[in-house]
Amino acid sequence: MSGNMPNNHVRKTLRAQAFSRQDGRCHYCKVRMWLHCPEELGLPLNRAAKLRCTAEHLQALCDGGQDHPDNIVAACLRCNEMRHRMHPAPDPVRYGKHVQRLQRAKQWHRQYILAAGLLPASEVSHPR
Ligand SMILES: [Zn+2]
C-alpha cells in the first residue's frame, strides 16, 4: 500500500464518486441506494439497511485489485455481502446476471423494497 491518505478515506471518496456516476443506483441490482443516511430514500433504517451504498471492488483486494476508480463500483450492501459470501466470489459480470435473474423473479430484495419504487420501472413488473 502506498500513498499518504488512509485507505478508508480514499475508499470513501471513490465510493461517493461511483455513487454519483451510477446515478445512485447499485451496479448489480440497480436499486436506489443511500450514501449518508437512509432518510435519503424515505425509509426507516431497519428497512433500508441493505440499501446502504458500499464500495465494491470488481477485482477483490486479495486478488490484487486496487483502490482505483476503474476497480470500484457502488453496490448496495446486499449485493456486496452476497457476492463475497460465495466461494469463490463470482466475477462481476456473472454475478450481475445472477442478481438480475433473481431480481426479475422478485427474489432478491424484500417485498417492501420493491414496493417502495426503488427499482427502475423496467426492472419490475407492475405491482398492483
Ligand atoms: Zn444491489
Side-chain angles (χ1 to χ4, degrees), residues 26-31 33 50-51 75-80 99 103 108-109:
C26 172
H27 178 73
Y28 296 116
C29 71
K30 315 295 179 202
V31 74
M33 305 176 289
K50 296 292 185 193
L51 302 181
C76 72
L77 182 60
R78 179 174 173 80
C79 287
N80 195 332
V99 169
Q103 184 94 278
W108 192 243
H109 283 291

